Amino acid sequence: MKLGAAAALVSSALLLTAACGSDDNSGLPGAVDFSADHIECAPSGSLLASGSSAQANAMEVWVNTYQANCDDSQINYKATGSGAGIQEFLQGRTAFAGSDSLLGDQELADSRAVCRDGGQAIHLPMAAGPIAIGYNLPGVDDLVLDAPTLALIFDSGITRWNDPAIAALNPGADLPDLPITAFHRSDGSGTTDNLTQYLHGSAPEQWPYEPNKNWTGKGGQAADGSSGLVGMVQQNAGAIAYFELSYAHQNGISTVAIDTGAPEPVAVSVENASSAIAAGEVVGTGGDLALELDYATREPGAYPIVLVTYEIICDKGNNPGTLDLTRAFLGYAAGEEGQGALAEIDYAPIPDGIIEQVRDRVAGMS
Amino acid sequence: MGTPATAPRKNTVRLGDRVFSGLSKGSGIALLVIMAAIAVFLTIRAAIAIAHNEGNFLTTFQWDANASPPVFGIAVLLFGTVVSSVIAMTLAVPVAIGIALFISHYAPRRLAGIIGYVVDLLAAVPSIIYGLWGALFLVPHMTGLFDWLDRFFGWTGIFAYDGTPARSLMTVGILLAIMILPIITSVTREVFKQTPKAHEEAALALGATRWEVIRMTVLPFGRSGIISASMLGLGRALGETMAVATVLSPSFLINASLLESGGGTFAQNIASQFKEAGSMGRDALIASGLVLFVLTLLVNGAARLIIARRKEYSGSL
Amino acid sequence: MSQTTVTEEPPRPRPSVRPTTLRRPRLPGWSRGALLLGSAAIGTATGLVAGLESRVQWGLIAALVFVVGGFALTSAVEGRRQAVDRLAASLVWTSFLVAVLPLASLLWETIARGIPGVSWYFLTHSMNGVLSWQDGGGIYHALLGTVQQVLLASVIAIPLGLLTAVYLVEYGSGRLARAITFFVDVMTGIPSIVAGLFILSMWIMMMGFGYSGFAGALALSILMMPIVVRSTEEMLKLVPNELREASLALGVPKWRTILKVVLPTAIGGITTGIMLALARIAGETAPIILLVFGNNMINGNPFEGAQSSLPLFVYEQWAFGTESAYDRAWAAALVLIAFVMILNLAARAVARWKAPKSGR
């Protein structure tokens, strides 16, 4: 009888399979039109990729657009975090990895084991994301901070909102006498890495710690993931935290403008991030396109806290079975249409000079 | 049993027996092999990590397993895991026994059925939901309780509270208690129901009150079951990841106060460090998982000892 | 009491009339209700006067007053034994009420937030082509994945677990049984992500199989087995030895005794144990991410290609952090609970139908 029940369960499961599921969501109200003009499709196939969650939104748009225009292609990008993505890539399980930070020497050496024809892993910058400093301070809509103040706030050096240092930067604002609760990521994260690079790069005295994916500052509270930080900022008056710009936009959170030393404080936006990226330089060698940003930039209208997110591929390809699809997909993402889709979803495209090199590298995978 | 030369019927009997006992023994061995394989796997990976560790694995207050000399230690995690589980168990076990008794002996029959069912259902709520609920609902409601504890017991230091969002080991303990309550209740209730009716009737006939019946028949009978159920609950509390990660504000410091943020648990640390862990980082996390193992083992061993002291488990009359 | 009183207690007047019945004095039936109302009033009053913000605290004070007051009252009127009985009863009731509050709130939250998102469309479509900040989309791909993975895991773990428990209780003794018990205990403490890592290393890395629903099911079965073994073991131990002896004495072979007498007697508890195990694995996220990979499209083949699952879906949507994603997360959580509930109902029906009829 137990067998009978089991059989019933199994057959109902099979029925579920056979019956009514559908992958077609184009009829939804508000469905996005994914049509594109110039996608050069690869023959049908499927590939797996994983890594950074900072580029998850961009990947979502790219993957859906590619799949909508190329029949029978399936791309799975899993946003598990850069480190996990790199591990899976180095184990030869995925076609490419998304990462917010660069490979270490050991990891580069390991990549030779999975890359074909004596190749090794290279970094392709694909998108840049401004990191917003979001806060919750009733009655204060515009807030200006500079790198030393930010560093002190996140390091528990400044603990109240009406601190003279903050007041000096915001002469007109009516700052409440409220304790500051600074939130940081409890999980390791490329966002933390980039924020601390900025703090260390432009306020080394106030932020003496080396940049790290794990939080190294003193005090404050921690929460899991960017969504966790957003939740905390929404719940607690007096809270401040950092997350990708899209999280601030989608949840209507006020963001800090940064006093970089430029004549005007710089608000966080895609255009201002693009200006900062434009000053970035390629520091990778041997075909690698790793970028270095100037976090202490004083360029007017350049928002300095920017995260560059890379795809890590083998310069000569890894798995022959997914090579065509990888090339076609990344070619589209690096192409004009792929980059053009970024601004709408709060990413800054990669500057022309660099993205052209990215296209060359993608085309050069053989 | 079993004189050698008898009718063929006896042979078929023995064949069935042999097949069945062989099958059950076989699956026992299969289980053993799987577990042993896991244990070996974990030990090897953990050994690699510990061999490279520059800090002291047991006492370092830091987790930098991806740095190029890796430095990591489990002191904070061990403390946090033990403390939050102890809080969870002290709160959950008595209440769970209470609810189980309520269902089996106090509640009106029809109500008991419904409640029993709802309890089973709650055991099925995925832990991420407990986490979401905890972050959205429980944490804001904890502030009042924490203020109160601080006002009257703040002087102990354990219950000092600074007014920051209540995302501490205490909150985690309470959330875990709520989470494991249905599990413990579910199993305990089932055990209580198995109490031989004759025992209870005998006690009643002697003029015992309802509580005396329970104390003299139900509780002694269900004791080993209660401990087993608690161990199941504890297993879940010790290994809980998502609910802890959403509610706790972790740090690699031990805070003397249970009400202020800080600390961490093994499972929570594995989940939050795993995303950015390199291969050494993974091995270090596995090493911490191994400690969790040993911890569970110790607790379970102690529980087995308690049960073994009254081995006469048969529900004979 | 600073000064000693010298006056002697006058001898108590003897009761002039002896009680006419043997019955002990009892509190009237309405006393409990009155006590309940009274303590609620005291709780509220204390809360208001002391300015306590949390309603939970008011409730706790009321509960305390109720328990203590009930004990004192009964003790005065009915005597000690009855008072202890009453105390136990109020404690049991209170613990029930105290526990019901958060659990009901949790269930309510999930249902209230989940219901609006659940629709036929939601159940029958995948997330293909739906961006995370957009409304709509569905969970069919995840539901299908969960159903298949949980079924596969059960097919592996339940027979193994049941047979092992039978071995431990009915056959086992000596070193092997002790070793198995030991390792089963260890297993209950495996963090799910470690089980996932183990399968990842063995199945995917060493043996070279790809990510699939089946790989996830393997890890889930590892998590499931110890729960099945332990709860089944516990239930089998509770089966009275007289039943076994009676059956064996009638000449029924041992294996038939176990199958026809022991297991059916304990079937209710065994089912509960299995359901708990199922409930636990159905809500697992970590090993699924590692082994099943996740997929926005429907993949009906658990043995090949990336799949999704409901808890993974909830987790992903939660991490997106947008309003529409939260709506989907709650709705998917509700569906997950409903799925486990249906399994639970089915299992209970089977158990009731198979269990020997008894007095309760």
Side-chain angles (χ1 to χ4, degrees):
Chain A
M1 245 138 287
K2 227 176 276 166
L3 274 181
L9 275 174
V10 169
S11 52
S12 60
L14 289 178
L15 269 180
L16 255 172
T17 327
C20 32
S22 161
D23 270 330
D24 181 16
N25 278 308
S26 55
L28 270 181
V32 175
D33 179 17
F34 289 115
S35 59
D37 301 329
H38 309 293
I39 296 187
E40 285 172 30
C41 294
S44 66
S46 69
L47 70 79
L48 302 176
S50 62
S52 155
S53 48
Q55 57 175 276
N57 286 358
M59 271 297 167
E60 256 190 89
V61 171
W62 287 336
V63 165
N64 278 308
T65 313
Y66 187 89
Q67 286 179 167
N69 288 280
C70 299
D71 293 338
D72 298 326
S73 298
Q74 195 179 352
I75 298 161
N76 273 319
Y77 182 81
K78 178 175 63 162
T80 40
S82 309
I86 290 171
Q87 285 297 309
E88 289 182 319
F89 174 73
L90 290 180
Q91 286 155 348
R93 291 283 141 196
T94 49
F96 61 89
S99 175
D100 308 329
S101 31
L102 305 177
L103 295 179
D105 294 337
Q106 183 60 45
E107 286 162 334
L108 268 181
D110 289 347
S111 74
R112 291 175 187 278
V114 290
C115 289
R116 280 197 311 159
D117 301 335
Q120 66 167 351
I122 54 170
H123 303 87
L124 303 179
M126 275 296 186
I131 300 174
I133 311 288
Y135 65 96
N136 175 351
L137 206 52
V140 180
D141 296 328
D142 298 300
L143 189 69
V144 178
L145 296 172
D146 58 5
T149 326
L150 262 183
L152 286 174
I153 287 176
F154 278 114
D155 201 27
S156 300
I158 294 177
T159 54
R160 299 199 80 81
W161 278 108
N162 56 358
D163 191 277
I166 302 178
L169 288 164
N170 298 277
D174 180 22
L175 292 167
D177 180 18
L178 202 69
I180 299 178
T181 320
F183 285 93
H184 54 262
R185 292 279 289 266
S186 60
D187 45 341
S189 148
T191 317
T192 307
D193 194 22
N194 279 274
L195 176 80
T196 49
Q197 278 183 34
Y198 161 74
L199 293 176
H200 189 67
S202 46
E205 271 175 44
Q206 287 80 8
W207 194 265
Y209 319 108
E210 285 297 315
N212 197 319
K213 286 176 177 176
N214 289 322
W215 189 254
T216 42
K218 287 199 292 284
Q221 282 217 350
D224 187 53
S226 289
S227 53
L229 290 181
V230 167
M232 285 300 117
V233 171
Q234 285 174 322
Q235 269 182 27
N236 300 293
I240 186 166
Y242 55 95
F243 26 75
E244 294 81 0
L245 178 60
S246 57
Y247 283 95
H249 272 175
Q250 284 160 357
N251 295 288
I253 292 173
S254 325
T255 54
V256 169
I258 304 290
D259 182 351
T260 58
E264 288 285 312
V266 190
V268 55
S269 72
V270 170
E271 300 81 59
N272 293 346
S274 303
S275 316
I277 293 286
E281 279 175 39
V282 174
V283 294
T285 51
D288 189 28
L289 295 174
L291 292 186
E292 190 173 78
L293 299 181
D294 176 16
Y295 289 110
T297 178
R298 286 162 174 263
E299 198 77 17
Y303 184 82
I305 320 176
V306 179
L307 168 153
V308 177
T309 173
Y310 301 91
E311 310 315 333
I312 293 174
I313 61 164
C314 285
D315 51 1
K316 292 175 184 159
N318 46 6
N319 181 355
T322 56
L323 187 60
D324 283 340
L325 185 53
T326 312
R327 194 166 40 211
F329 173 67
L330 291 181
Y332 149 72
E336 268 167 36
E337 280 194 298
Q339 293 288 307
L342 287 177
E344 236 175 282
I345 48 173
D346 296 321
Y347 290 92
I350 300 296
D352 288 343
I354 300 169
I355 200 71
E356 271 162 26
Q357 298 182 52
V358 172
R359 289 172 201 155
D360 288 347
R361 297 291 177 280
V362 172
M365 287 165 70
S366 57
Chain B
M1 281 284 279
T3 34
T6 26
R9 195 169 146 263
K10 203 109 199 191
N11 270 333
T12 59
V13 166
R14 205 182 275 158
L15 181 69
D17 253 344
R18 203 178 294 158
V19 167
F20 190 72
S21 73
L23 263 181
S24 59
K25 191 171 183 179
S27 45
I29 292 174
L31 213 71
L32 194 62
V33 170
I34 298 173
M35 321 273 172
I38 296 178
V40 168
F41 159 79
L42 289 177
T43 318
I44 292 175
R45 299 284 295 265
I48 297 174
I50 294 175
H52 288 84
N53 187 8
E54 288 285 307
N56 184 317
F57 183 62
L58 291 178
T59 56
T60 303
F61 278 41
Q62 195 184 345
W63 196 274
D64 234 340
N66 288 310
S68 60
V71 181
F72 55 89
I74 53 155
V76 173
L77 306 178
L78 187 61
F79 176 80
T81 307
V82 169
V83 165
S84 58
S85 301
V86 165
I87 297 174
M89 295 301 278
T90 8
L91 292 176
V93 173
V95 176
I97 294 175
I99 305 178
L101 283 177
F102 179 76
I103 296 172
S104 65
H105 287 82
Y106 283 88
R109 181 59 60 90
R110 192 170 296 172
L111 186 63
I114 297 172
I115 296 167
Y117 189 68
V118 171
V119 165
D120 281 359
L121 196 61
L122 282 161
V125 174
S127 57
I128 176 105
I129 299 302
Y130 279 96
L132 285 178
W133 176 81
L136 293 173
F137 187 87
L138 186 68
V139 169
H141 282 80
M142 277 291 119
T143 342
L145 175 67
F146 282 13
D147 277 335
W148 182 81
L149 279 173
D150 180 51
R151 194 182 321 159
F152 295 103
F153 302 101
W155 51 270
T156 55
I158 303 174
F159 295 117
Y161 179 53
D162 56 6
T164 49
R167 302 167 67 241
S168 63
L169 285 178
M170 185 63 137
T171 317
V172 170
I174 292 173
L175 182 65
L176 288 178
I178 296 171
M179 215 177 104
I180 60 179
L181 199 58
I183 300 169
I184 304 180
T185 307
S186 216
V187 177
T188 313
R189 173 203 59 196
E190 214 52 57
V191 175
F192 286 167
K193 272 194 189 165
Q194 301 288 331
T195 315
K197 202 75 184 162
H199 284 196
E200 289 178 42
E201 280 160 2
L204 279 175
L206 290 172
T209 61
R210 184 154 52 172
W211 168 244
E212 283 160 350
V213 171
I214 290 171
R215 199 167 49 86
M216 291 189 303
T217 67
V218 180
L219 289 182
F221 178 82
R223 185 164 139 170
S224 108
I226 295 173
I227 294 174
S228 268
S230 310
M231 288 304 113
L232 278 183
L234 181 65
R236 186 156 178 191
L238 286 173
E240 179 47 44
T241 310
M242 287 319 299
V244 180
T246 42
V247 165
L248 181 68
S249 161
S251 74
F252 266 86
L253 291 172
I254 291 179
N255 201 328
S257 166
L258 296 180
L259 307 186
E260 288 169 12
S261 61
T265 73
F266 285 113
Q268 169 267 327
N269 187 57
I270 293 179
S272 36
Q273 301 288 331
F274 188 80
K275 302 173 189 170
E276 294 298 335
S279 60
M280 181 55 66
R282 281 194 181 185
D283 288 350
L285 293 176
I286 289 180
S288 75
L290 191 65
V291 179
L292 182 53
F293 245 52
V294 175
L295 190 66
T296 324
L297 189 67
L298 291 179
V299 178
N300 271 303
R304 288 261 169 206
L305 272 183
I306 297 173
I307 298 174
R309 255 194 235 147
R310 5 175 71 243
K311 184 90 188 188
E312 64 291 16
Y313 50 69
S314 163
S316 56
L317 297 171
Chain C
M1 277 293 200
S2 53
Q3 58 200 63
T4 26
T5 38
V6 245
T7 45
E8 275 199 4
E9 193 91 358
R12 284 192 175 190
R14 296 204 158 240
S16 51
V17 223
R18 298 181 66 92
T20 47
T21 63
L22 286 172
R23 296 190 61 162
R24 294 180 145 275
R26 301 203 66 174
L27 284 170
W30 49 265
S31 65
R32 188 181 293 235
L35 189 63
L36 194 65
L37 280 179
S39 46
I42 293 177
T44 316
T46 330
L48 281 175
V49 171
L52 297 177
E53 276 164 34
S54 169
R55 299 292 184 281
V56 179
Q57 290 180 22
W58 299 15
L60 286 178
I61 292 171
L64 196 70
V65 172
F66 179 74
V67 171
V68 174
F71 179 73
L73 214 61
T74 326
S75 172
V77 179
E78 297 181 11
R80 232 190 102 71
R81 278 180 61 213
Q82 300 300 326
V84 171
D85 185 45
R86 178 62 66 88
L87 177 71
S90 2
L91 279 179
V92 164
W93 272 91
T94 325
S95 68
F96 167 69
L97 291 176
V98 164
V100 146
L101 276 178
L103 292 173
S105 141
L106 179 110
L107 216 52
W108 169 249
E109 195 96 339
T110 314
I111 292 173
R113 292 195 187 213
I115 285 276
V118 180
S119 64
W120 185 242
Y121 189 94
F122 187 68
L123 292 175
T124 55
H125 282 72
S126 72
M127 280 299 285
N128 184 34
V130 182
L131 301 173
S132 58
W133 52 92
Q134 219 184 306
D135 281 341
I139 52 163
Y140 182 80
H141 59 304
L143 187 58
L144 183 66
T146 291
V147 169
Q148 293 182 336
Q149 290 150 25
V150 167
L151 279 183
L152 281 174
S154 319
V155 166
I156 301 169
I158 294 179
L160 264 178
L162 279 183
L163 283 171
T164 306
V166 166
Y167 174 75
L168 288 178
V169 176
E170 306 292 337
Y171 295 101
S173 56
R175 212 175 278 167
L176 180 63
R178 271 205 302 277
I180 295 174
T181 312
F182 175 84
F183 274 102
V184 167
D185 283 356
V186 182
M187 289 293 288
T188 55
I190 292 193
S192 55
I193 196 161
V194 171
L197 278 172
F198 170 71
I199 296 293
L200 182 74
S201 312
M202 298 297 284
W203 182 256
I204 295 186
M205 296 301 152
M206 276 174 60
M207 301 193 205
F209 294 96
Y211 296 102
S212 68
F214 183 67
L218 285 178
L220 294 183
S221 66
I222 288 183
L223 295 172
M224 194 175 176
M225 272 183 243
I227 308 182
V228 174
V229 175
R230 269 210 95 157
S231 50
T232 308
E233 195 191 345
E234 211 50 57
M235 289 306 146
L236 291 183
K237 280 181 184 173
L238 292 181
V239 174
N241 266 345
E242 284 73 8
L243 283 181
R244 296 189 181 91
E245 284 154 11
S247 169
L248 290 173
L250 289 173
V252 181
K254 188 164 182 182
W255 68 280
R256 284 188 68 88
T257 305
I258 295 170
L259 278 184
K260 295 287 172 192
V261 177
V262 179
L263 284 177
T265 311
I267 191 81
I270 293 176
T271 318
T272 305
I274 291 176
M275 288 324 300
L276 283 175
L278 269 182
R280 163 143 188 215
I281 63 159
E284 269 311 332
T285 318
I288 299 294
I289 299 186
L290 283 180
L291 300 168
V292 182
F293 208 82
N295 193 340
N296 276 342
M297 291 169 126
I298 298 166
N299 174 10
N301 182 358
F303 296 99
E304 204 188 334
Q307 272 194 326
S308 187
S309 90
L310 278 176
L312 176 60
F313 181 88
V314 175
Y315 176 70
E316 281 173 345
Q317 299 297 324
W318 172 74
F320 284 139
T322 61
E323 278 305 312
S324 11
Y326 274 137
D327 291 347
R328 277 191 291 266
W330 285 108
L334 188 61
V335 173
L336 177 55
I337 296 174
F339 167 69
V340 178
M341 189 175 80
I342 291 168
L343 276 186
N344 205 331
L345 271 179
R348 263 172 209 286
V350 172
R352 179 168 299 182
W353 170 41
K354 288 290 293 174
K357 303 289 169 279
S358 73
R360 55 186 71 217

